[in-house]
C-alpha cells in the first residue's frame, strides 16, 4: 500500500495568537510549531495500512518554510519512509487552491494508492485543500473520514464518514483522497529508535521551478484583528443552588433574551 | 449584471435554515451591487421550495435535475453547481459552511479554478469586491479575506447571519443538465442518521456542554436540559469527556473539535482550556456551572454559577421548564 500524507505544520494549540501592529498577520515570534493534529491521524492511518498489507510506502509531503522539516522528521520518526518538502516563498503560505495545486503537482508525478489530507488545518481553518486536491487530480474525495477499510486487492476502499447528524458509509475506487477526522485512530508517539532512524531517511527538497508551474493567488487576507474581548460577567457564589439557578434562568430570559 | 447566487441546501425534505440566512445576506449584497439574487436547488423535484426562498428575497430559483442527483454526492453535485455557475455567471456565490457545504464548495471551486473564503461570519462590499470576515485559529483572531478571481465564492458560518423577509418573485427556471458519470466517484452504501432529529453542534442555537466534571458517561442531566430547549438545542462535550470515551468524537467542541457560535452555550464541569475557549468563545451568551471559582471559564462567562453541577443542574432544569412553559 503506497500512501501519500499531506502534512501541514501549524502553531501548537496552546499558542496565544496575537495580531501584529499593522494588522497584516499574526506575530510569529516564539510560536511553537507542531504537526496539524488531523494530519497526525493521517500519518497513523497510513502506517497502519502499510503494516496491514506488510508492504508499501508512506510518503510525507509538506509545503512551507524550513521549519517544516521538523514536522516531516517527526512523521518519519513515527515510521513514515520518506519525505518531500516543497519550500518556496511563492507557496509557503498560499491559499488552499494554490496549496492544492502544489500538492497535486507532486502527487501526479508518482503513483499512490491513497492520498491523505487532514479534514482541516487548525491555523487557517479552511477545510478545503483535500477536496480541491482530489478535484485537481480528478479522483474521488471522501471527507471527514473516521474509519477506513481497504479491500484485499487494494483496488477500493470502504470508509465511514461524518455527515450532519450521523454517519455515511461509502465505497470508492482507489486512488482517492480521504480527509482525516477525529475518531479515525489514536496516533502513536515517535519511539527513540524511530527518532534515530528518521535522521537517515530521505527528504527531497523541491522548489516551484522543480515542479514546473507558477501559481496564481486566489485569495488574499488583510486587516487581521483580535476578537472583541469577553468580559467576565456575573458570578453567583455561595448561593443555594435553587436560588442561583433561578437567578440565571431569569436573566437569560429578561436580560440576555436568549431563551 | 452583478448577480449573487446562493446554494440552498435541503435536508430531510426541508430547506435548511442556513439557506434563509444566505438568502437574507445575498439580498443585501445583490441590492448594493445592483444585481439579482438567484438560488440553486440541486436534485429532482425541488421546485416546490421556491416560494420559501422567494420570501427571503430570491428573484430567480434555478433547479438542476438529474436522476444521479437524487442523493448527495460530492462529484455529481459539484458538477451540477459548477455548470449552473458557468451558465449564469454570478459575481458572488454564497454557500453555508455546513458539513455538506464544506464538502461541496471546495470541489466546485476547484472545477472552476477559483478559491473559497470559508466560514465567514460577516460580509461587506468594497465596490464589487466581496470581503468576508472569517475567524482563524479557531477564533483566536479574525481576518478580512477577498478573492482575486471570479466568481467570488464564500461559505458562511451557520447561525451567524440574520434572516430577514423581503418577498420577491422567486421565478423558477429549470436548468437542463446531464451528469458526467465517467468521472469516478464514491457510492453511498449506507446512511446512519441520528433519528432523534438532533441538530448538528455547528448549527445548534443552544449548546449544553459537559466536561470532565460530569464524572462519567451519564449525561442525563444535560440531555434533559437540551430536551427542555427542544430541537434547536444539542449536547456537546470537552475533549476530556470525549477522550474518556463518555461522548462521541463528533460532540467535541474546541480547536480540534468543532468551532461553534450558538446563541447560548452552557458549559457544565468544563474548566475552560485555551483549546476549548477557542472553539466556543464567540458564542453570544455563555453560562458556566463549575465548582471551582478559579476556573478560567468564568473569565469568559456572562453568567457563572459556582457550585456542584449535580446540585445546580436539576434546579436549573426545573426553572427552565417553568419559564419556557409560561
Ligand atoms: C493538541 C490539543 C488539542 C486539544 N483540543 C481540544 C478541544 O478541541 N476541545 C477541548 O475541549 N479540549 C481540547 N484539548 C484539551 C484541553 O487542553 C483540556 O485538557 C480539556 O479541554 C479539559 O477538559 P475539561 O474542561 O472537561 O476538564 P478539566 O480541565 O479537568 O476541568 C473539569 C472541570 O470540572 C469542574 N468540576 C468537577 N466536578 C464538578 C462538579 N461536581 N460540579 C461542577 N464542576 C465540577 C472542575 O472544577 C474543573 O474546572 C486539547 C489539548 C491538546 C493538547
Ligand atoms: N502547506 C501544506 N503542506 C501540506 N499539506 C497541506 C498544507 N496545507 C494544507 N495541507 C493539507 O490540507 C489539509 C487541510 O488544510 P486546509 O484546507 O488549509 O484546512 C491539511 O490537513 C493538510 O493535509
Amino acid at each position: 500500500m503506497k500512501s501519500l500524507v499531506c502534512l501541514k505544520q501549524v502553531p501548537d494549540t496552546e499558542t496565544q495568537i496575537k495580531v501584529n501592529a499593522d494588522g497584516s498577520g499574526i506575530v510569529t515570534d516564539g510560536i511553537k510549531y507542531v504537526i496539524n493534529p488531523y494530519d497526525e491521524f493521517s500519518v497513523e492511518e497510513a502506517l497502519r495500512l502499510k503494516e496491514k498489507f506488510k508492504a508499501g510506502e508512506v510518503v510525507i509531503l509538506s509545503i512551507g518554510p524550513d521549519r517544516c522539516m521538523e514536522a516531516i522528521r517527526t512523521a518519519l520518526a513515527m515510521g513514515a519512509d520518506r519525505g518531500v518538502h516543497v519550500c518556496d516563498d511563492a507557496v509557503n503560505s498560499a491559499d488552499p487552491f494554490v496549496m492544492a495545486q502544489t500538492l497535486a503537482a507532486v502527487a501526479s508525478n508518482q503513483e499512490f494508492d491513497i492520498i491523505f489530507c487532514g479534514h482541516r488545518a487548525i491555523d487557517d481553518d479552511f477545510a478545503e485543500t483535500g477536496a480541491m486536491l482530489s478535484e485537481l487530480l480528478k479522483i474521488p474525495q471522501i471527507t471527514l473520514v473516521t474509519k477506513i477499510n481497504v479491500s484485499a486487492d487494494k483496488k477500493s476502499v470502504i470508509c465511514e464518514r461524518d455527515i450532519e447528524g450521523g454517519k455515511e458509509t461509502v465505497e470508492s475506487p482507489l486512488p482517492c483522497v480521504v480527509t482525516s477526522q477525529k475518531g479515525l485512530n489514536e496516533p502513536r508517539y515517535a519511539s527513540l529508535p524511530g527518532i534515530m532512524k528518521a535522521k537517515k531517511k530521505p527528504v527531497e527538497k523541491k522548489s516551484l521551478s522543480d515542479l514546473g508551474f507558477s501559481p496564481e493567488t486566489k485569495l488574499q487576507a488583510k486587516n487581521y484583528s483580535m476578537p472583541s474581548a469577553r468580559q467576565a460577567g456575573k458570578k453567583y457564589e455561595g448561593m443555594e443552588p435553587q436560588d442561583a439557578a433561578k437567578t440565571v434562568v431569569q436573566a437569560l430570559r429578561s436580560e440576555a433574551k436568549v431563551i | 449584471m452583478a448577480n449573487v447566487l446562493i446554494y440552498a441546501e435541503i435536508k430531510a425534505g426541508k430547506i435548511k435554515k442556513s439557506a434563509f440566512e444566505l438568502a437574507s445576506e445575498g439580498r443585501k449584497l445583490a441590492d448594493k451591487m445592483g444585481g439579482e439574487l438567484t438560488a440553486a436547488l440541486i436534485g429532482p423535484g425541488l421546485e416546490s421550495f421556491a416560494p420559501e426562498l422567494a420570501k427571503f428575497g430570491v428573484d430567480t430559483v434555478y433547479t438542476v435535475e438529474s436522476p444521479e442527483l437524487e442523493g448527495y454526492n460530492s462529484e455529481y453535485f459539484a458538477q451540477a453547481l459548477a455548470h449552473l455557475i458557468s451558465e449564469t455567471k454570478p459575481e458572488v456565490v454564497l454557500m453555508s459552511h455546513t458539513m455538506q457545504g464544506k464538502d461541496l464548495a471546495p470541489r466546485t471551486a476547484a472545477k472552476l479554478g477559483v478559491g473559497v473564503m470559508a466560514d465567514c461570519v460577516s460580509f461587506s462590499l468594497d465596490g464589487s469586491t466581496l470581503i468576508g470576515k472569517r475567524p482563524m485559529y479557531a477564533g483566536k483572531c479574525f481576518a478580512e479575506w477577498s478573492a482575486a478571481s471570479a466568481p467570488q465564492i464564500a461559505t458562511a458560518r451557520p447561525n451567524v447571519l440574520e434572516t430577514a423577509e423581503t418577498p420577491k418573485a422567486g421565478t423558477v427556471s429549470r436548468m437542463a443538465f446531464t451528469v458526467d458519470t465517467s468521472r469516478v466517484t464514491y457510492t453511498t452504501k449506507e446512511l446512519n442518521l441520528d433519528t432523534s432529529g438532533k441538530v448538528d453542534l455547528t448549527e445548534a442555537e443552544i449548546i449544553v456542554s459537559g466536561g470532565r466534571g460530569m464524572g462519567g458517561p451519564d449525561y442525563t442531566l444535560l440531555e434533559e436540559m437540551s430536551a427542555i430547549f427542544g430541537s434547536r438545542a444539542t449536547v456537546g462535550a470537552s475533549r476530556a469527556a470525549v477522550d474518556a470515551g463518555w461522548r462521541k468524537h463528533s460532540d467535541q467542541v474546541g480547536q480540534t473539535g468543532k468551532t461553534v457560535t450558538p446563541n447560548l452555550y452552557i458549559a457544565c464541569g468544563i474548566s475552560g482550556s485555551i483549546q476549548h475557549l477557542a472553539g466556543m468563545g464567540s458564542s453570544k451568551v455563555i453560562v458556566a456551572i463549575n465548582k471551582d471559582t478559579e476556573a478560567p471559564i468564568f473569565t469568559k462567562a456572562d453568567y457563572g454559577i459556582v457550585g456542584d453541577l449535580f446540585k445546580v443542574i436539576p434546579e436549573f432544569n426545573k426553572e427552565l421548564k417553568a419559564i419556557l412553559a409560561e
Side-chain angles (χ1 to χ4, degrees):
Chain A
M1 194 74 192
K2 199 170 163 190
S3 304
L4 178 68
V5 176
C6 303
L7 179 146
K8 189 175 190 187
Q9 194 193 39
V10 298
D12 186 2
T13 58
E14 293 282 345
T15 313
Q16 299 277 4
I17 299 292
K18 284 190 207 75
V19 169
N20 62 18
D22 65 357
S24 62
I26 63 159
V27 179
T28 51
D29 303 348
I31 288 184
K32 182 179 159 235
Y33 289 92
V34 297
I35 298 178
N36 180 38
Y38 293 99
D39 300 343
E40 269 182 352
F41 300 137
S42 298
V43 176
E44 176 63 35
E45 201 63 21
L47 292 174
R48 289 187 192 184
L49 285 175
K50 183 183 163 190
E51 285 156 9
K52 179 175 162 197
F53 287 97
K54 299 191 174 65
E57 195 182 24
V58 176
V59 182
I60 305 297
L61 168 57
S62 190
I63 306 166
D66 289 333
R67 59 170 161 77
C68 292
M69 197 59 171
E70 200 188 318
I72 297 174
R73 288 281 173 215
T74 306
L76 297 178
M78 287 169 74
D81 298 287
R82 63 183 174 92
V84 178
H85 180 194
V86 179
C87 182
D88 194 312
D89 284 340
V91 287
N92 284 350
S93 56
D95 59 72
F97 185 84
V98 172
M99 281 296 176
Q101 274 185 315
T102 314
L103 297 170
V106 177
S108 56
N109 273 329
Q110 308 176 30
E111 297 222 325
F112 292 100
D113 296 308
I114 191 164
I115 298 176
F116 287 91
C117 279
H119 138 63
R120 152 170 84 92
I122 61 154
D123 51 359
D124 289 349
D125 282 341
F126 275 109
E128 292 177 4
T129 310
M132 287 181 162
L133 171 62
S134 65
E135 171 59 31
L136 295 176
L137 295 172
K138 297 193 163 41
I139 58 177
Q141 73 188 43
I142 312 179
T143 58
L144 290 165
V145 166
T146 54
K147 207 183 267 177
I148 294 180
N149 204 337
V150 174
S151 65
D153 62 5
K154 291 183 272 186
K155 293 241 170 8
S156 67
V157 66
I158 293 179
C159 293
E160 209 173 86
R161 58 183 297 265
D162 280 353
I163 54 171
E164 193 194 329
K167 294 265 181 199
E168 179 182 21
T169 307
V170 302
E171 182 167 14
S172 172
L174 289 175
C176 71
V177 173
V178 296
T179 74
S180 304
Q181 165 71 328
K182 180 156 176 141
L184 181 60
N185 55 44
E186 278 302 325
R188 70 193 67 186
Y189 290 103
S191 64
L192 199 56
I195 294 169
M196 299 311 291
K197 268 194 230 160
K199 292 185 179 146
K200 299 202 190 76
K201 289 179 178 172
V203 178
E204 232 184 312
K205 201 157 178 170
K206 286 185 188 289
S207 67
L208 279 200
S209 57
D210 297 331
L211 296 176
F213 88 105
S214 50
E216 235 180 76
T217 300
K218 300 294 178 189
L219 300 180
Q220 285 143 354
K222 59 173 189 188
N223 295 344
Y224 279 72
S225 62
M226 296 301 285
S228 44
R230 259 199 123 89
Q231 306 290 330
K234 298 180 180 150
K235 195 153 99 177
Y236 303 95
E237 206 169 349
M239 274 166 87
E240 283 301 316
Q242 190 189 348
D243 299 333
K246 188 169 188 150
T247 311
V248 171
V249 168
Q250 283 181 347
L252 289 176
R253 154 101 9 135
S254 52
E255 195 175 74
K257 298 190 169 59
V258 285
I259 62 172
Chain B
M1 223 178 7
N3 290 344
V4 175
L5 172 74
I6 64 158
Y7 168 70
E9 189 179 332
I10 307 289
K11 189 200 165 199
K14 273 197 193 147
I15 302 196
K16 293 192 63 135
K17 176 174 162 267
S18 57
F20 300 132
E21 294 164 4
L22 294 182
S24 308
E25 185 70 23
R27 182 70 261 164
K28 285 190 261 173
L29 295 173
D31 285 344
K32 281 187 202 141
M33 291 164 59
E36 276 209 328
L37 176 63
T38 63
L41 284 167
I42 297 179
L46 300 180
E47 63 279 355
S48 58
F49 292 112
E52 287 182 64
L53 290 167
K55 203 159 83 183
F56 290 91
V58 175
D59 298 302
T60 307
V61 178
Y62 293 103
T63 61
V64 187
E65 300 190 12
S66 168
E68 289 84 4
L69 301 170
E70 178 81 51
Y72 176 76
N73 179 284
S74 56
E75 167 62 19
Y76 296 161
F77 268 55
Q79 280 184 22
L81 187 55
H83 173 75
L84 178 62
I85 292 170
S86 305
E87 291 289 313
T88 62
K89 301 197 169 41
E91 190 84 16
V92 166
V93 179
L94 298 182
M95 301 174 71
S96 293
H97 201 65
T98 54
M99 306 281 257
Q100 192 190 92
K102 280 184 244 186
D103 194 61
L104 179 60
R107 193 166 188 101
T108 307
K111 283 185 190 292
L112 299 165
V114 301
V116 180
M117 299 171 257
D119 202 20
C120 297
V121 292
S122 67
F123 294 102
S124 57
L125 281 170
D126 179 3
S128 58
T129 303
L130 180 70
I131 314 274
K133 185 172 176 183
R134 49 184 305 271
M136 297 165 70
Y137 302 87
K140 288 177 186 171
C141 74
F142 289 81
E144 291 178 358
W145 287 76
S146 57
S149 48
Q152 309 169 75
I153 304 185
T155 63
R157 178 174 293 194
N159 226 359
V160 175
L161 304 173
E162 311 246 317
T163 53
E165 295 191 14
T166 36
K168 296 282 170 180
T171 314
V172 176
S173 174
R174 286 162 174 257
M175 176 98 24
F177 180 66
T178 314
V179 169
D180 174 7
T181 51
S182 71
R183 278 290 300 268
V184 277
T185 185
Y186 60 82
T187 46
T188 298
K189 293 266 140 198
E190 205 181 318
L191 284 176
N192 275 313
L193 292 175
D194 183 344
T195 45
S196 65
K198 230 176 76 160
V199 282
D200 190 68
L201 270 178
T202 51
E203 292 174 55
E205 290 172 37
I206 299 176
I207 296 173
V208 185
S209 227
R212 202 192 314 266
M214 295 301 295
D218 185 355
Y219 269 51
T220 314
L221 282 175
L222 304 191
E223 299 285 0
E224 270 171 22
M225 194 191 297
S226 171
I228 298 170
F229 288 121
S231 61
R232 61 200 167 130
T234 195
V235 176
S238 72
R239 171 162 160 182
V242 169
D243 285 357
W246 302 344
R247 303 299 290 177
K248 288 183 299 189
H249 290 292
S250 52
D251 289 346
Q252 183 180 318
V253 173
Q255 193 166 5
T256 55
K258 287 178 176 155
T259 319
V260 297
T261 326
N263 294 340
L264 176 59
Y265 189 89
I266 305 184
C268 308
I270 292 177
S271 62
S273 64
I274 184 167
Q275 297 94 346
H276 194 81
L277 291 173
M280 45 62 82
S282 45
S283 304
K284 284 181 199 120
V285 174
I286 298 173
V287 173
I289 304 174
N290 196 305
K291 67 179 181 190
D292 174 12
T293 182
E294 302 289 331
I297 189 84
F298 285 124
T299 64
K300 306 282 174 191
D302 301 280
Y303 302 99
I305 301 180
V306 184
D308 182 351
L309 67 90
F310 295 102
K311 298 206 174 98
V312 175
I313 299 177
E315 298 298 334
F316 199 90
N317 288 352
K318 249 188 252 165
E319 294 296 335
L320 267 182
K321 227 185 231 156
I323 210 166
L324 292 173
E326 273 171 23

